[in-house]
Amino acid sequence: MCMKYRAICFDFDYTLADATDSIVAGFQYGFTRLGWPAPDRETVRRTVGYLLEDAYTLLTGDRDPEHRAAFRPLFLEASMERQRRETTLFPGAPELLRELKARGIRLGIVSTKRSDTLEAILENRGVLGELDLIIGSDRVKRHKPDPEGLLAAMSRLGAGPEETLFCGDTVLDAGAAQNAGTEFAAVLNGTTPASAFRECPHRPGPLGPEAVAGRTIKRRQAWPAAFFLPRPS
């Protein structure tokens, strides 16, 4: 299947990697500094994938622009260096990226995490050179499910929607793929259940890791894609 794609783009958190510990630390520090109770780990996990300011509002109900803006620097104060040091790639993710790169497929990341944080993590894990581009939250004005980041990635990678696969772990990612007109692979490493993706406008079908990466990636190492969602008709 992967040979039909000229470009494959990935979300990052819970798609390629796990930064839970540092993200939770950032939320707990930021919330307590702003006078809110520290959220527990699972509560924070359910917000991963949202823009930080939106996650703050989801958990507090506070829509005040000044409070929303104040949360980000506090979060980064506690989490940024830890994310760069401690984030781990999922088993099979490095092999997946190297195999796809070797096949001549253009690769990108479209994430709500900052680009400089992504670049530092990927460099520390030895895979930054496998990526052709990184589009973080600081490089777009509108965030997923808006397709701005994914459309920009396709333009820079020289691929049309019919030649592009987007891989992500949330319905925000699925929505971005829908709005950009690409196919989508849902990943079940995060907190979004498979049932949530069945409600997406795409038609779901089964997808094994070999369908994305080829059978040269051993199943015991394989990065776990859950559903293949074709382009909307």
Side-chain angles (χ1 to χ4, degrees):
M1 181 179 292
C2 74
M3 299 310 293
K4 69 175 282 190
Y5 299 119
R6 191 170 183 182
I8 299 179
C9 293
F10 299 88
D11 174 53
F12 188 72
D13 286 306
Y14 293 153
T15 296
L16 292 175
D18 186 355
T20 302
D21 289 346
S22 53
I23 291 172
V24 170
F27 268 81
Q28 292 179 339
Y29 177 77
F31 272 48
T32 55
R33 285 289 303 274
L34 291 171
W36 296 98
D40 62 52
R41 183 183 181 88
E42 286 307 305
T43 296
V44 173
R45 288 186 71 237
R46 289 193 291 271
T47 71
V48 172
Y50 285 89
L51 192 68
L52 279 175
E53 291 81 358
D54 292 341
Y56 168 83
T57 297
L58 281 171
L59 297 186
T60 64
D62 183 2
R63 298 181 179 276
D64 185 288
E66 291 186 3
H67 297 166
R68 283 166 53 90
F71 175 63
R72 180 176 288 272
L74 292 170
F75 171 88
L76 293 175
E77 183 180 337
S79 71
M80 184 166 64
E81 290 306 318
R82 286 191 59 178
Q83 287 194 67
R84 294 178 179 189
R85 291 194 315 267
E86 300 174 12
T87 300
T88 58
L89 299 180
F90 287 122
E95 295 86 351
L96 173 73
L97 295 175
R98 293 183 183 116
E99 175 68 19
L100 294 173
K101 185 75 168 182
R103 294 180 179 217
I105 297 172
R106 309 293 304 280
L107 301 177
I109 288 177
V110 180
S111 170
T112 53
K113 196 183 287 295
R114 283 184 55 87
S115 303
D116 55 353
T117 301
L118 289 165
E119 289 164 357
I121 292 168
L122 293 163
E123 184 172 21
N124 288 344
R125 299 296 171 261
V127 294
L128 181 60
E130 311 303 330
L131 279 300
D132 294 291
L133 64 80
I134 293 172
I135 296 179
S137 62
D138 52 309
R139 293 179 178 168
V140 296
K141 294 181 179 179
R142 299 178 301 278
H143 304 280
K144 296 179 285 188
D146 190 281
E148 179 185 347
L150 190 51
L151 291 173
M154 288 191 289
S155 177
R156 289 174 55 187
L157 294 172
E162 72 284 355
E163 302 171 302
T164 302
L165 175 69
F166 187 43
C167 306
D169 70 293
T170 71
V171 293
L172 299 176
D173 298 317
Q178 166 77 15
N179 292 330
T182 73
E183 294 180 334
F184 179 71
V187 185
L188 298 183
N189 286 328
T191 62
T192 305
S195 58
F197 293 108
R198 294 192 181 99
E199 298 173 4
C200 293
H202 298 69
R203 292 177 295 102
L207 174 68
E210 69 277 3
V212 176
R215 295 186 182 276
T216 55
I217 301 297
K218 295 180 181 178
R219 182 168 291 277
R220 64 180 176 82
Q221 297 178 318
W223 165 87
F227 293 112
F228 170 62
L229 304 179
R231 294 178 67 216
S233 56

